[in-house]
Structure formats: structure tokens, C-alpha cells
Amino acid sequence: MQTISPELAELAGLIADPGRASILSRLMDGRPQTASELALVAGVTPQTASWHLSRMVERALLKVERRGPRRFYRLATPLVAQMLEGMMTVAAIDPHPSRPPPRDPEMRRARTCYDHLAGELGVAVTDAMRDRGHLNLDQEAGELTASGCALLGDLGIDLRSPARSRRILCRPCLDWSERRPHLAGRAGAAVADLALQRDWIRRRPQGRSVEITDAGLLAFRNLFGARI
């Protein structure tokens, strides 16, 4: 009987390299990066980074975009981001519970998970939407209710846009730091886009963590009912 074991071993081996793992982790913030930028992240020479990147493009983990003479790399699909977030969740399980847990307060407070909100902020918004009847979400699937669609519509989010229609509307994504699901899919990406556009959150120069602004705290609490 044929299995996918060889392909799984190949993929695991590709991701296992520390340099490639660092590159993939950096690209989880959704922003495209050049080979030079990713070489610094991986701690390797530009030539070595280009070799790593070409391998990951060939394996459909990354895609490359040309902007004039420069090339920018990003995760190939949301499915790749979902796989990496799941791996991070498993990696965060400490086999030695007596050891102090690693601390990264900015990442745990608020970050992007590819194109949607994660960390305490992402889970708080998701919990609030569920508590208010805007969202049905469990470990397997998610659904926006009529009131949830109305809430997002009132905020100017059009989830019927053809450009967004190819992705699943609403799904859970297990948060590696909170160990509970946050909202992903088109709905989750739309909420994150809105938060960035309205300056509720601000990207930091490097990494996935985001800053919640004072206006953002009010908006997440008053509009969504988030306890953040």
C-alpha cells in the first residue's frame, strides 16, 4: 500500500534546517522579504540564502514576486502558514514542565499569524465574537452567523468580494501561545486588514508582533467586546 511517508519525510527534512526554519518563521508575518533581508534572519550568506529560497520555491512552500530588478519572497499559500502555526504549537509544548516557559510578551500579546490576528488579541476578539453570537467556532470548523456578517458589514468589510471568494470564509487556527483557536480564513484576514487600515494595530519594524494602539484598545473592546 502506497503512503505519503516519503513526501512527508522530504518536507520535514526541508523545514528542519535551522536557516530555512528561521526564514519560514519570519515570513509568517505575511510581509514579503528580499533574499538579502532573509539572509540576515537566517544568519547565512546571501548565496546560501538564495539556495535555501530556491529549494523552498521548488517545493511550493514559498513563492517569488518580481518588482523591477528585485525579487521578494513570501509564503506560497495560507495552507503553508496553517501548517507552520500547527508545528509551532507542537514545538511550544515543553517536555520538561519544571523548566520556566520561554517569554516573549510582545508576541504573546498581539501578533499576526500570516494574515490574521493571533496571540492574546486574536483569541480575545474570537472569544468575544463567539460570546456575542457572531461566530460559531470549534476545533474543527467555523461559521459566521447572520449577526456576525452584519457586524463586519457595518464595519465596511465585504466578504462577498470576488477577490476573497477563493478562500474559506471562516476557520479556526490553533494559537500556539494561547493554546486555543483564533479566527482565520477570509473573515480573520479581513478583521486584521481593517485593524491595520484604521490604525488599531501597528506592525513593528521586524517580526510578527504588533502594537495595539489606544484607538485599537477602544475599538476592540467597544465594537467586538474583546477583553483585552
Side-chain angles (χ1 to χ4, degrees), residues 62-118:
L62 302 182
K63 64 181 179 181
V64 59
E65 302 171 354
R66 292 182 180 272
R67 300 180 186 176
R70 305 179 74 190
R71 292 183 176 187
F72 289 82
Y73 295 85
R74 65 190 312 158
L75 298 184
T77 66
L79 182 60
V80 175
Q82 184 180 352
M83 175 193 69
L84 293 172
E85 184 73 8
M87 294 178 70
M88 291 174 183
T89 302
V90 176
I93 298 173
D94 191 350
H96 306 286
S98 60
R99 290 191 316 199
R103 297 189 178 277
D104 189 341
E106 290 181 347
M107 280 281 284
R108 290 176 178 273
R109 174 67 169 168
R111 64 181 183 274
T112 53
C113 175
Y114 186 54
D115 62 359
H116 53 272
L117 299 176

Side-chain angles (χ1 to χ4, degrees), residues 146-208:
S147 67
C149 291
L151 169 68
L152 298 187
D154 289 343
L155 292 173
I157 295 174
D158 182 10
L159 294 173
R160 299 168 298 176
S161 170
R164 294 182 178 271
S165 63
R166 292 184 295 274
R167 286 184 62 188
I168 189 169
L169 175 62
C170 176
R171 68 168 180 83
C173 181
L174 184 60
D175 194 283
W176 67 259
S177 58
E178 296 297 299
R179 304 293 176 84
R180 289 157 52 213
H182 55 244
L183 177 62
R186 295 191 341 252
V191 171
D193 286 345
L194 183 72
L196 286 165
Q197 292 167 10
R198 296 195 177 181
D199 198 37
W200 296 347
I201 59 172
R202 294 173 185 166
R203 292 190 185 275
R204 302 185 193 276
Q206 299 291 338
R208 287 202 282 153

